[in-house]
Amino acid sequence: MDDKNMMKYKLKPSVVYRKEDDGALIYDHESGNMKPLNETAAAMCEIMFMELKSKEDTLSAIKKVWRVTDEDLVRRDIDEFIEGMKKLSFIVPVD
């Protein structure tokens, strides 16, 4: 396993996370960026960026909650989610 899979991120201090009935809403009061998250994305956000789990730990947690048949697809989804959160400047690497 490479270091990239063990990398951890956290929400920036300026980011507010609000749990909703059908997911969550994430807002950065510095940039004004806002993004609604569906239930799956909200779970990934909580696991990775609030509980500070690695991608592989996140995959394991998702497998426990949902029936995952294609781990590679979930890994790609996690990678895309991280990249999207980076582009909106919602997350920073954990030191």
Side-chain angles (χ1 to χ4, degrees):
M1 185 174 320
D2 60 37
D3 289 339
K4 193 172 84 171
N5 287 329
M6 298 310 291
M7 183 109 188
K8 294 180 183 178
Y9 296 91
K10 64 182 177 182
L11 294 174
K12 287 183 359 185
S14 60
V15 170
V16 177
Y17 177 90
R18 188 176 78 203
K19 189 85 171 140
E20 301 282 332
D21 289 339
D22 58 349
L25 186 64
I26 192 166
Y27 172 72
D28 182 349
H29 63 81
E30 282 182 353
S31 69
N33 288 335
M34 183 171 35
K35 182 170 180 61
L37 303 176
N38 65 24
E39 187 178 351
T40 305
M44 285 195 290
C45 185
E46 290 171 15
I47 294 165
M48 278 192 289
F49 311 139
M50 296 164 83
E51 296 175 20
L52 304 180
K53 303 290 186 190
S54 68
K55 289 195 304 188
E56 286 303 309
D57 290 340
T58 301
L59 175 62
S60 295
I62 288 171
K63 285 168 48 178
K64 288 178 186 172
V65 176
W66 290 284
R67 293 178 188 221
V68 173
T69 56
D70 187 347
E71 281 189 20
D72 290 334
L73 176 62
V74 176
R75 274 193 185 90
R76 285 192 301 275
D77 287 347
I78 291 170
D79 286 339
E80 287 175 14
F81 183 65
I82 290 170
E83 288 308 310
M85 296 293 276
K86 281 186 196 173
K87 283 181 184 164
L88 291 169
S89 300
F90 286 140
I91 59 174
V92 292
V94 172
D95 298 330

